[in-house]
Amino acid sequence: MNLNIGVQGSTRELKLEEVELSEEQLLELVKHSSTSGEPLVLEAEKGRKVIIPAAALGYVEITSDEKRAIGFGLV
C-alpha cells in the first residue's frame, strides 16, 4: 500500500510507497500513536524507516498500488 502523510507545520506531504501493512494494522498503529503520544514508526521500500512524532501527525491517506499509464496512447 502507498501512504501520504500530512505533518503539522509542514506544507509538504510525506509519501511512502510499498508499505507492508494491512489497513487494519495501520489503523491500530495510528490509534496507538495518537492515544499514547508515542511516535508513529513505519517501514517502507528498501527498509526505509520513517518516525513521525505523535504531536506532529496531521493525517494519513491510503492510496492504491495501481500503476497508471502515462502518455496519450490507448492501452
Side-chain angles (χ1 to χ4, degrees):
M1 109 175 67
N2 298 332
L3 302 175
N4 294 333
I5 301 172
V7 179
Q8 294 183 20
S10 176
T11 58
R12 299 183 70 189
E13 288 181 330
L14 186 62
K15 296 179 186 283
L16 299 178
E17 297 177 353
E18 300 177 17
V19 176
E20 298 296 325
L21 291 173
S22 68
E23 289 185 30
E24 292 80 22
Q25 290 171 321
L26 177 63
L27 180 61
E28 287 302 316
L29 285 174
V30 172
K31 279 183 183 179
H32 177 72
S33 177
S34 63
T35 57
S36 69
E38 293 180 15
L40 176 64
V41 180
L42 299 171
E43 188 169 335
E45 71 278 353
K46 299 177 186 171
R48 175 181 168 201
K49 284 193 178 185
V50 177
I51 302 169
I52 305 162
L57 189 61
Y59 64 88
V60 178
E61 176 184 25
I62 300 171
T63 60
S64 67
D65 290 331
E66 291 180 21
K67 303 284 183 188
R68 295 190 213 172
I70 299 175
F72 297 101
L74 297 173
V75 180

